Amino acid sequence: MADENTPLIQVVQIRPAVPRYSHHSVRRACTLVLAIVPLFVVAAFLLCLALPTPLDGEDGSEWASYLPWAGASISKAWPQTDGLTYEGLQDILTSTPNATKAREWSKYYTAGPHLAGKNLSQAIWTKEKWQEFGISNSLIVDYDIYVNYPKGHRLALLEKDKKTKREESVDTGSKASWSVQYEAGLEEDVLDEDSSSGLSDRIPTFHGYSASGNVTAPYVFVNYGTYKDYEELLAANVSLAGKIALIKYGGIFRGLKIKRAQELGMVGAVIYSDPGDDGEVTKHNGNSTYPKGPAREPSSVQRGSVEFLSIAPGDPTTPGYPSKPGAPRKPVDTILPKIPSIPISYVDALPLLKALNGHGPKASSFNKYWQGGGLDYKGVDYNIGPSPDNLLLNLVNEQEYVITPMWNVIGIINGSLADEVVVLGNHRDAWIAGGAGDPNSGSAAFNEVIRGFGEALKAGWKPLRTIVLASWDGEEYGLIGSTEWVEEYIPWLSASTVAYLNVDVGTTGPHFRAAAAPLLNKALIETVGLVLSPNQTVTNQTVGDVWDGHISTMGSGSDFTAFQDFAGIPCVDMGFSGGPDTAVYHYHSNYDSFDWMDKYGDPGFHYHATIAQVWGLLAAKLVETPVIQLNATEYAKGLAGYLESVKSKALATPGFMGAEDEDWTKKSLFYGLTKSIDRLHNVSVSFDAKAQALTDEIAKDPIPWWKWWQKVRLYYAVRRVNAKYKFLERQFLYAPGLDGRSWFKHVVFAPGIWTGYAGATFPGLVESIENEDRGNAFRWAGIITGLVEKAASSLED
């Protein structure tokens, strides 16, 4: 009977259920798969529409790149530094450079002659030292280059013998006889206090790429031998054709002094260093000369190349392509001098200058750029000449031209990104046994940078971007090692290189100086603020604190030229130098020696270590920050400033336009270019803001591993921004090149055609204005406008 404890629902035993289908488990699994997979595909499709497209060359198809297993091409540590924190890397690159080590490397590099093509032992030592530091992938890359080596020279002041009264009364028809009034020594003094000055194999004084010849002619003092100096001499009716030019060093590249003399029919050139250009530290001002004091050693001679550097650098027989064995060789008529030249000391120049006293106008009667000769206290009046009829100058120059191997040392530190590359370089060759300042202060510092990289690698660091290290040969003759290497590897460099960081002269004094492409200005300024200055007038004073902040425009004269002007790669060239109140630097002289550096240039070698710190930290900023530390707005600002200078030049060139044409010039010639630069500025501000937003996003809390799609999305967004930064400088290349010097492809930067060292901005346009060619000015304004527009478009999405 049922009662209150009886369950309301009874359990009734029935037969077990029989499955409707024989394979119901499989069927159920299939049903689930068919329901879920379409949802996953739709979700993946929508995700791919929302995420950035991978760059060309990335692994995987567009949408597959966002699958969890597709991140193999992305560093596991990204966006953090791999194997070492960024702060840890900075600490190593700051603490490793050591003044004692830098002194050791300087001692090695300056121990003997190391002319281009004659320093294989140094190349091997450098490669092996880098490998010892931990850069295992180091090798020697050679080229066959066309260069000259000195065989002999002579410079003699000849005086016509006076005839006796009997000889004057009887005309015998015989030729006049001449005797030597002064025979130039053409050699630097051997100093007991300077060990390299007395080496038995020291290099004679000569000019690289000078023409052989033996000429005897009157001579003329032509000041610095600038284009304007020669024009002023012609305006003053000073006869130049058939004469030898006596020229002061300074102002412009030495080869261009000779180029213009040659064009005006002069038959030879003699170039000397005038102490009037040595600032306050001169013998006349009471300073003892080297080695007893900081003033110029009177017998010092500046060697150097006289290749026409503003026409094209590199091997003059292979312009635009690498000088490998078997390469076709072209004539050198347009790029090397045809008249002989030699460098001399001011001791050897004194008798020549004194012999001009009273002959021709005085330099003081010309403009301010002719004033300030430093030998007036020695009895020099700085008359122009020509030399009197009873005096002639005999110039003899004997050179041997050969094709010989030269050797670059290249080191590679592979990064996670093979298509984003930062190159660091310094040249190794020198005109003399020493070269403690140029270039081996840079070489010693470079070794310390590389030793720092090696220490970081030992600590587990793997760089984000690939680093290439280059010890160039042949820079002194005409930037040969770097130019030939860039010409050989231009496709890879164009596709991959982010920046080139050059240090030629690491230090010859306490003042920091730099030239840079505007893209790199911000990174450079931030970096010098991280490094303590050896000059601690205030506690914790940085290099940035004592620097005047001036960044020069890129010109030429060092190994950045091929990168900037031929390949369109943004560059920095930096180092420490002297000033008007510091010890005189004996540029390209035997006295650019270890002993001079140790006593006057950088006692204690502290600035060697400091430039190594700046160099290493700047490289780290460009190599390791996820968003490349370039700044497009700085470039746009720079272009606007350069254009204002061009406008001023146009208004100041009477033959180009009259006063009534001012509105025409502003509204017509420059209108389109002004508008395009304004557009680039607006686009750059937006683009830099986008890059900064990505940097800020990365700086937030790390993305958890399970949000893999967010990391991939951010990675490709950064890569797209970086690609635009990387290629921005390339947008300003014009394939046909500049007028009359087609090797130079950059429309914004080039060496001045008549300066060589100093940078010219908008060179095609400026040269058209200087030549008073309105039609060509319009042509170049149009070319530049088109490229600026292209650059602006490249930054837009």
Side-chain angles (χ1 to χ4, degrees):
M1 294 294 292
D3 59 22
E4 65 273 14
N5 295 317
T6 301
L8 296 177
I9 299 177
Q10 297 281 338
V11 177
V12 180
Q13 295 296 325
I14 62 173
R15 180 174 59 86
V18 177
R20 184 176 180 183
Y21 302 103
S22 58
H23 303 292
H24 71 285
S25 296
V26 174
R27 190 177 180 87
R28 181 178 296 174
C30 290
T31 301
L32 290 172
V33 169
L34 291 173
I36 292 172
V37 168
L39 290 175
F40 179 82
V41 171
V42 170
F45 177 73
L46 293 175
L47 184 65
C48 290
L49 291 178
L51 294 175
T53 301
L55 298 171
D56 292 339
E58 296 287 357
D59 295 336
S61 62
E62 294 182 7
W63 69 268
S65 298
Y66 295 99
L67 295 175
W69 55 83
S73 63
I74 305 174
S75 167
K76 292 180 180 179
W78 192 92
Q80 307 304 317
T81 310
D82 195 348
L84 192 67
T85 66
Y86 184 56
E87 292 74 17
L89 175 63
Q90 287 181 311
D91 288 344
I92 289 174
L93 296 177
T94 301
S95 62
T96 299
N98 178 278
T100 302
K101 282 289 186 182
R103 189 177 188 276
E104 179 183 340
W105 312 140
S106 178
K107 186 77 170 175
Y108 168 77
Y109 280 117
T110 60
H114 42 293
L115 266 175
K118 291 181 178 287
N119 59 58
L120 178 57
S121 62
Q122 274 198 1
I124 294 171
W125 182 91
T126 299
K127 184 195 75 157
E128 292 176 347
K129 189 60 64 175
W130 291 4
Q131 290 171 334
E132 179 185 314
F133 293 155
I135 315 303
S136 57
N137 191 5
S138 297
L139 65 154
I140 292 175
V141 179
D142 65 300
Y143 297 93
D144 283 359
I145 61 170
Y146 178 74
V147 291
N148 65 304
Y149 297 117
K151 292 181 66 178
H153 53 194
R154 185 199 191 201
L155 185 68
L157 184 61
L158 307 179
E159 183 177 23
K160 184 189 292 186
D161 294 336
K162 294 181 179 179
K163 292 183 178 181
T164 64
K165 289 183 178 181
R166 181 177 179 279
E167 288 171 332
E168 289 176 350
S169 63
V170 179
D171 185 4
T172 62
S174 61
K175 293 183 179 180
S177 60
W178 297 77
S179 58
V180 176
Q181 187 190 82
Y182 177 75
E183 185 83 40
L186 304 183
E187 186 172 357
E188 296 175 294
D189 292 346
V190 174
L191 307 175
D192 292 338
E193 300 90 339
D194 193 307
S195 57
S196 63
S197 69
L199 292 174
S200 59
D201 57 351
R202 63 189 180 275
I203 299 168
T205 58
F206 80 109
H207 279 150
Y209 288 132
S210 60
S212 294
N214 184 339
V215 295
T216 302
Y219 63 99
V220 177
F221 174 66
V222 299
N223 199 30
Y224 292 106
T226 66
Y227 191 94
K228 189 172 179 61
D229 287 339
Y230 286 115
E231 292 300 295
E232 288 167 350
L233 289 171
L234 293 173
N237 294 317
V238 175
S239 173
L240 299 177
K243 311 294 193 300
I244 294 171
L246 179 58
I247 316 171
K248 289 197 295 185
Y249 269 117
I252 64 171
F253 181 67
R254 68 188 73 78
L256 301 178
K257 301 170 186 278
I258 298 167
K259 182 177 189 292
R260 188 57 180 157
Q262 175 179 295
E263 290 175 350
L264 294 173
M266 304 189 82
V267 297
V270 177
I271 314 181
Y272 80 98
S273 300
D274 194 295
D277 296 316
D278 288 341
E280 302 167 12
V281 184
T282 63
K283 184 177 181 181
H284 183 47
N285 286 344
N287 296 281
S288 297
T289 59
Y290 178 73
K292 301 298 183 184
R296 177 180 298 278
E297 208 290 330
S299 70
S300 68
V301 178
Q302 181 193 138
R303 299 154 182 78
S305 173
V306 292
E307 181 181 26
F308 301 158
L309 194 63
S310 61
I311 304 301
D315 187 324
T317 65
T318 61
Y321 57 94
S323 52
K324 302 299 283 186
R329 305 278 169 171
K330 293 186 177 180
V332 297
D333 298 354
T334 61
I335 200 168
L336 298 186
K338 299 175 184 177
I339 62 175
S341 68
I342 59 172
I344 65 173
S345 66
Y346 79 71
V347 164
D348 279 339
L350 265 171
L352 310 185
L353 291 165
K354 285 183 177 179
L356 292 177
N357 285 353
H359 299 281
K362 285 189 175 183
S364 58
S365 66
F366 289 80
N367 63 40
K368 64 180 181 180
Y369 300 107
W370 288 75
Q371 315 302 313
L375 294 171
D376 49 354
Y377 80 106
K378 292 280 192 179
V380 174
D381 294 338
Y382 287 98
N383 284 88
I384 304 301
S387 52
D389 293 340
N390 67 323
L391 292 178
L392 293 174
L393 196 59
N394 176 229
L395 166 60
V396 179
N397 186 46
E398 296 180 41
Q399 301 294 321
E400 178 186 18
Y401 275 85
V402 298
I403 293 178
T404 186
M406 55 137 280
W407 307 278
N408 293 333
V409 181
I410 303 296
I412 302 169
I413 306 175
N414 288 312
S416 299
L417 299 174
D419 65 344
E420 292 182 4
V421 178
V422 176
V423 185
L424 287 73
N426 157 265
H427 76 92
R428 188 182 63 254
D429 63 303
W431 289 114
I432 33 62
D438 180 12
N440 299 131
S441 60
S443 307
F446 201 16
N447 277 358
E448 286 301 276
V449 173
I450 296 168
R451 197 165 66 85
F453 287 152
E455 291 299 314
L457 292 171
K458 291 174 189 175
W461 173 58
K462 179 172 183 180
L464 174 61
R465 299 183 179 90
T466 295
I467 302 171
V468 174
L469 310 163
S471 173
W472 310 116
D473 194 6
E475 188 272 355
E476 293 293 6
Y477 276 87
L479 323 179
I480 299 177
S482 56
T483 299
E484 303 310 309
W485 190 78
V486 169
E487 289 173 344
E488 180 173 12
Y489 294 104
I490 186 69
W492 170 71
L493 289 166
S494 295
S496 304
T497 308
V498 171
Y500 173 68
L501 311 180
N502 189 68
V503 173
D504 187 328
V505 179
T507 180
T508 56
H511 304 296
F512 184 73
R513 51 92 191 152
L519 279 170
L520 287 160
N521 286 356
K522 186 171 180 286
L524 175 63
I525 292 168
E526 290 173 354
T527 300
V528 295
L530 301 175
V531 179
L532 292 178
S533 170
N535 179 21
Q536 286 290 304
T537 55
V538 177
T539 304
N540 294 325
Q541 188 167 251
T542 68
V543 173
D545 292 332
V546 296
W547 176 39
D548 63 8
H550 175 70
I551 301 176
S552 300
T553 56
M554 304 303 292
S556 186
S558 194
D559 290 303
F560 58 81
T561 303
F563 289 89
Q564 183 76 47
D565 298 335
F566 186 77
I569 294 166
C571 299
V572 166
D573 181 48
M574 59 187 175
F576 290 91
S577 63
D581 58 347
T582 60
V584 172
Y585 172 54
H586 297 80
Y587 180 55
H588 289 179
S589 157
N590 276 346
Y591 310 126
D592 178 10
S593 62
F594 179 83
D595 292 313
W596 178 86
M597 182 64 71
D598 203 27
K599 186 173 183 180
Y600 293 108
D602 184 19
F605 284 73
H606 302 296
Y607 282 94
H608 283 71
T610 302
I611 191 61
Q613 292 171 330
V614 173
W615 203 355
L617 289 174
L618 180 57
K621 178 182 280 288
L622 295 171
V623 167
E624 282 302 331
T625 49
V627 178
I628 298 174
Q629 295 298 289
L630 302 179
N631 189 275
T633 306
E634 284 294 311
Y635 212 125
K637 289 179 179 177
L639 294 182
Y642 308 151
L643 183 59
E644 288 305 311
S645 297
V646 176
K647 290 178 180 178
S648 298
K649 177 175 282 291
L651 293 172
T653 305
F656 182 73
M657 57 173 292
E660 70 279 1
D661 292 331
E662 181 173 343
D663 289 340
W664 167 83
T665 303
K666 287 182 177 179
K667 293 179 181 178
S668 181
L669 178 59
F670 301 119
Y671 179 79
L673 184 51
T674 301
K675 299 293 285 185
S676 65
I677 291 174
D678 288 342
R679 180 192 168 210
L680 177 61
H681 182 270
N682 293 335
V683 171
S684 295
V685 169
S686 298
F687 184 75
D688 287 337
K690 178 180 179 180
Q692 185 59 49
L694 287 172
T695 299
D696 294 341
E697 183 177 351
I698 290 168
K700 294 178 182 177
D701 294 335
I703 299 170
W705 67 268
W706 52 270
K707 291 187 176 180
W708 47 266
W709 66 89
Q710 289 189 7
K711 179 176 179 178
V712 176
R713 178 200 63 79
L714 184 60
Y715 173 81
Y716 284 121
V718 167
R719 289 278 279 153
R720 290 177 68 81
V721 165
N722 285 347
K724 291 176 183 291
Y725 272 137
K726 181 174 69 173
F727 293 119
L728 180 57
E729 192 81 55
R730 258 73 107 207
Q731 307 303 320
F732 298 100
L733 296 180
Y734 178 59
L738 300 179
D739 297 336
R741 43 181 184 152
S742 60
W743 187 91
F744 290 97
K745 309 295 185 185
H746 209 296
V747 302
V748 179
F749 301 114
I753 194 166
W754 284 110
T755 61
Y757 285 136
T761 52
F762 295 133
L765 184 54
V766 167
E767 288 159 25
S768 300
I769 292 171
E770 290 174 341
N771 294 332
E772 302 173 8
D773 188 338
R774 288 191 180 193
N776 209 43
F778 270 100
R779 170 176 162 264
W780 272 107
I783 291 169
I784 298 167
T785 299
L787 293 178
V788 174
E789 289 288 337
K790 180 184 171 187
S793 297
S794 76
L795 296 180
E796 294 177 329
D797 292 328

